Amino acid sequence: MPSLTYNNLTDAKKQQILQIAFKEFTLHTYEKASVSNIIKQLGIAKGSFYRYFRNKLDLYTYLVEYATAVRLEKVEHHPPETKAQDFFAFLEDNFVRRIKFEQQYPIYGQFLYNIMRERHSELLGNIMLKTKRNLMQGVIQKVKQFQPQANLRHDLDLPSVAFLIIQIQFGLHDFIVLNKNGVKEEMMRDFSQLPPLEDEEIHKIAKRLVDIVKNGLIPPTSIH
């Protein structure tokens, strides 16, 4: 975590450090990211940097918490634009906000996307599974909240439902890149870059995915 020295910096200086650090960890894996590169771009002495953060892991941990907090504020904790009693409208709104978050805050979105690819690092632990486990608990609580008034099935296996929703949330980025017409070849190679989308297109993507969650794959006339 950042030191008191870092916290006493001006907001402008802290943002400069954050943006350069986010860029370094977005362009590289944790192992290949270089504190020396960050220090060089900041134009400060190495000793100055280590008065802000103890080491690379300390900096990385702070970046994870910072970016996650911004996304929670903009996506999860934002008042929904939909009726509170409609779980599927709530879910669609959540998907839309996640996509728009990556458009509005690309450096945070790309950094958080890269975290999900840091699999089984000996130093970091399995960040992806730890993150999903925590998020699943949040989704389970949200489903329980909606169940009484949203006409949701009462025999739902909540961990399975939560896992399905989390997988879609994490897969939105890749789904868009894979299905967006006219995506350039270099963008296909770098999945961390989200192609530009119009507002109407974002809503259509979210609506299609939520429709499958809500109605499944079997036509209503086929259900006995």
Side-chain angles (χ1 to χ4, degrees), residues 166-183:
I166 292 299
Q167 288 296 101
I168 295 174
Q169 288 176 330
F170 277 103
L172 281 170
H173 187 115
D174 288 353
F175 177 80
I176 291 169
V177 174
L178 288 168
N179 290 277
K180 173 70 174 174
N181 292 328
V183 172

Side-chain angles (χ1 to χ4, degrees), residues 64-74 77:
V64 172
E65 293 190 1
Y66 187 96
T68 300
V70 174
R71 185 168 66 182
L72 283 172
E73 172 63 26
K74 302 299 180 181
H77 296 166

